[in-house]
Amino acid sequence: MQYPRTSRVLDKMRRGEKVISYKFNLSCPRAVEIAALAGFDAAWICQEHVPTDFAVMEAQIMAAKSHDMDCIVRVPKGSYSDYIRPLEADAAGIMIPHLMSLEEAREIAHTVRFHPIGRRPVDGGNADGLYCRFDFKEYIKFANQNRLIIVQIEDPEPLSQLDEICQVEGIDMIFFGPGDFSHAIGHPAEFDHPEIHRVRKLVVETAHKYGKFAGTVPLPSLKQCYDEGFDFVNCGADVTAINADCDRVMNMYRDCQK
């Protein structure tokens, strides 16, 4: 029987290896392919803040898969279809922003996992089910084991239930978002704030305590994140790379005018 590709990110983390992803705000699948050729484990496609439609997302997933790179889609908070469609397009995982409670974590797992964990609606006629070439029972078993479900801790409200959240079956990773968290506690962009340091440590320790993975962004540095125990770090983005190169070229131009 033919099987879909497994998740490179999950496979590596389950072996105890660190992984790295690269974020895309822009819509070009060729840019995703460049990151794959460079060796990144995953492309982070954002539908929370970016007007990336499903046709663009699908093309970017295909570009990543062509070089064995995962696509992880940060979904908008909405209906179950918003969560399921990236998975049916064969994204290796989804990321749900601003998790606010244990109840919400349970509802997410119920929505995005198949039996016996949840009640995800079944189709099988898309890329993740090999367009109906994948046996029904094998399909739901494979998806439960090989697709990554990430929830983001970006607010103080869920911290009192973090232990219970990390025990929810079907949730694989707890991802700490320091930008929104700093804003939520009234200290925007103060990434050295003691509460941010405390919560970073808390997320790693609590996630690992219950067999979950921990993710974040590279503040203050990629190495420190790995040293602190984070398993997954998103490091870099297409828009920041283009900005940096545009600034470099313009600085050369200005130097030539002197």
Side-chain angles (χ1 to χ4, degrees):
M1 181 186 299
Q2 185 177 1
Y3 282 78
R5 64 180 291 277
T6 60
S7 165
R8 173 170 167 173
V9 168
L10 269 175
D11 289 345
K12 289 186 69 172
M13 292 192 303
R14 285 168 176 167
R15 294 195 300 265
E17 300 176 37
K18 305 294 189 182
V19 299
I20 188 169
S21 75
Y22 195 86
K23 183 173 181 286
F24 290 87
N25 281 44
L26 306 180
S27 60
C28 181
R30 289 181 290 248
V32 173
E33 188 173 20
I34 289 170
L37 289 167
F40 283 87
D41 297 305
W44 173 349
I45 308 301
C46 183
Q47 290 189 314
E48 180 194 11
H49 296 291
V50 183
T52 297
D53 64 27
F54 283 103
V56 168
M57 176 196 71
E58 183 178 35
Q60 291 176 319
I61 292 170
M62 289 179 175
K65 286 167 56 179
S66 69
H67 299 285
D68 193 35
M69 181 172 75
D70 285 0
C71 258
I72 294 169
V73 179
R74 179 163 64 181
V75 297
K77 297 191 78 166
S79 71
Y80 79 81
S81 292
D82 293 312
Y83 296 176
I84 299 308
R85 284 177 185 154
L87 296 171
E88 292 184 333
D90 211 21
I94 60 171
M95 179 184 295
I96 296 92
H98 290 283
L99 180 76
M100 299 302 287
S101 68
L102 172 61
E103 180 182 6
E104 185 183 3
R106 288 172 172 163
E107 180 62 25
I108 288 167
H110 180 79
T111 300
V112 302
R113 293 299 192 186
F114 291 124
H115 172 84
I117 301 170
R119 197 77 64 82
R120 172 182 161 181
V122 183
D123 188 302
N126 298 298
D128 68 325
L130 301 179
Y131 306 101
C132 291
R133 290 181 174 271
F134 201 7
D135 175 80
F136 188 112
K137 290 184 178 180
E138 287 297 314
Y139 168 51
I140 63 175
K141 179 181 177 182
F142 180 90
N144 278 349
Q145 293 176 346
N146 294 284
R147 293 300 175 254
L148 180 67
I149 306 301
I150 305 168
V151 294
Q152 287 192 270
I153 298 295
E154 304 177 272
D155 306 273
E157 286 85 349
L159 293 179
S160 64
Q161 297 180 304
L162 188 59
D163 268 79
E164 292 84 359
I165 289 168
C166 289
Q167 296 176 66
V168 174
E169 185 179 11
I171 302 296
D172 298 297
M173 182 188 295
I174 312 299
F175 189 102
F176 178 58
D180 275 335
F181 191 87
S182 72
H183 177 249
I185 63 173
H187 295 275
E190 295 179 24
F191 299 118
D192 286 332
H193 192 277
E195 181 65 359
I196 290 182
H197 287 293
R198 184 187 78 83
V199 175
R200 286 170 59 84
K201 182 179 179 181
L202 179 67
V203 165
V204 172
E205 291 179 349
T206 311
H208 289 174
K209 178 181 177 181
Y210 296 104
K212 309 296 187 181
F213 301 110
T216 193
V217 294
L219 293 172
S221 71
L222 178 62
K223 185 178 187 305
Q224 182 164 331
C225 290
Y226 286 153
D227 288 345
E228 289 174 347
F230 284 99
D231 309 286
F232 176 105
V233 181
N234 184 82
C235 193
D238 53 2
V239 290
T240 57
I242 293 172
N243 274 321
D245 196 53
C246 285
D247 289 345
R248 180 186 63 83
V249 173
M250 287 305 300
N251 286 334
M252 288 194 302
Y253 169 76
R254 294 184 186 103
D255 288 342
C256 291
Q257 309 309 307
K258 295 177 181 177

